[in-house]
Amino acid sequence: MANIAERQKWILERLKQQGFVKVHALSRELHASEVTIRKDLKMLEEKHLLQRSHGSASIPASIISDRHIDVKEKMQAEEKARIAKAANEMLEPNDKIIIASGTTLLAFAGAIDIHSRITAITSSVRVSLMLCYNPYIEVVQLGGTIRRNSVSVIGHYAENTLAALSCNKLFIGVDGIDVDYGLTTSDMNEARINQQMIAAAQKIIVLTDSSKFDKRGFCKICPLDHIHHIITDTNAPAHIVRMIRERNIEVTLV
């Protein structure tokens, strides 16, 4: 297909079907050089019709808006329950864990079933209230200003407390995961406290349903290579899961 318009139309159709295309595959299928394909992708990206990455292109990542926890709690509830169950299996006796805020983390707190002592530090008021009835869990509620949308603590008091701690696991949720951009959330204060949590933990475990993949929130938390493990549901895009695993990040599908 020598015609630019026909080539680019074909690329967009394939992108619509697969959600993801690779330069070398397009070059072979369209009988065009990789240089030509890259120029096509660049033109389409300038029109905001796709998003380029290393040797590939995908549907543009959309920006996630902030929503109240009561609204988000009703979304992908079954998937969150499966993710929570898998996360519970990662707990070990004497763990010192951090649990961030979010509805998937709230599901995780409700799924914790351990009969050995652990310590849980959390910014989420609702997580604390759920865990405080478990006799095996010592709960440390971070202090500070309550962020209403997440019913969780933000601010320098919480950040300073985290700076003095060293924990072996962090369970964190996100508003978006983008392979090139990293983990994001929709609030600047939430991003800052999440960054401090990451600095305080040895192993970073992301709990997120598949709707968050290839999306971006307003604020960046960290690059993808800062994390160690993602637990998500089986609807996660296969090509994105493959790219994440290629970066030596473990992905558990439930």
Side-chain angles (χ1 to χ4, degrees):
M1 294 183 184
N3 183 284
I4 294 176
E6 290 180 352
R7 232 180 16 247
Q8 293 185 0
K9 181 180 179 182
W10 194 94
I11 290 170
L12 291 174
E13 283 297 322
R14 180 55 62 91
L15 189 61
K16 184 178 179 181
Q17 293 168 6
Q18 300 180 174
F20 176 80
V21 290
K22 287 192 173 183
V23 170
H24 66 82
L26 292 173
S27 174
R28 184 178 63 253
E29 293 165 1
L30 292 171
H31 305 291
S33 70
E34 293 191 6
V35 172
T36 297
I37 296 299
R38 287 192 178 94
K39 288 179 180 178
D40 287 335
L41 296 180
K42 186 174 184 294
M43 291 174 64
L44 292 169
E45 185 178 48
E46 289 171 351
K47 297 176 182 177
H48 308 290
L49 296 174
L50 55 77
Q51 178 176 302
R52 291 187 299 160
S53 55
H54 306 294
S56 62
S58 59
I59 295 171
S62 57
I63 301 298
I64 302 296
S65 59
D66 194 16
R67 288 170 290 191
H68 195 276
I69 190 172
D70 290 345
V71 175
K72 293 196 288 186
E73 191 173 9
K74 300 171 184 176
M75 302 170 67
Q76 287 82 38
E78 292 182 7
E79 290 86 346
K80 291 173 183 176
R82 296 199 301 271
I83 292 165
K85 184 178 179 180
N88 173 68
E89 295 174 1
M90 298 188 66
L91 295 176
E92 300 172 302
N94 301 312
D95 264 349
K96 303 294 187 291
I97 68 172
I98 303 172
I99 303 177
S101 65
T103 54
T104 310
L105 282 302
L106 188 60
F108 167 52
I112 291 178
D113 182 19
I114 190 167
H115 300 284
S116 301
R117 297 287 178 182
I118 65 170
T119 300
I121 299 96
T122 185
S123 58
S124 170
V125 176
R126 291 183 63 180
V127 166
S128 284
L129 289 172
M130 187 169 289
L131 296 181
C132 71
Y133 296 100
N134 190 318
Y136 295 100
I137 303 176
E138 180 180 0
V139 181
V140 178
Q141 169 66 62
L142 296 172
T145 303
I146 295 291
R147 179 173 173 253
R148 296 182 186 276
N149 267 14
S150 59
V151 195
S152 65
V153 171
I154 53 173
H156 68 275
Y157 291 112
E159 293 167 18
N160 290 344
T161 300
L162 287 165
L165 299 176
S166 179
C167 299
N168 55 316
K169 296 184 182 91
L170 163 63
F171 295 90
I172 186 172
V174 295
D175 285 335
I177 295 182
D178 183 283
V179 173
D180 293 314
Y181 193 67
L183 309 185
T184 54
T185 184
S186 53
D187 182 84
M188 288 187 289
N189 293 307
E190 197 82 52
R192 280 197 296 268
I193 196 167
N194 286 344
Q195 290 161 2
Q196 195 63 60
M197 289 176 174
I198 289 169
Q202 297 171 12
K203 185 172 185 178
I204 317 303
I205 304 160
V206 178
L207 309 184
T208 183
D209 67 79
S210 58
S211 70
K212 308 298 177 59
F213 284 84
D214 212 21
K215 302 287 178 61
R216 293 186 187 183
F218 177 58
C219 305
K220 184 171 183 175
I221 299 171
C222 70
L224 202 63
D225 60 9
H226 281 35
I227 67 173
H228 304 94
H229 195 154
I230 297 173
I231 304 177
T232 187
D233 61 86
T234 52
N235 292 320
H239 67 280
I240 295 180
V241 171
R242 183 170 60 252
M243 286 192 289
I244 292 172
R245 284 173 170 162
E246 287 171 354
R247 299 190 180 196
N248 295 318
I249 298 168
E250 186 174 357
V251 181
T252 298
L253 301 174
V254 294

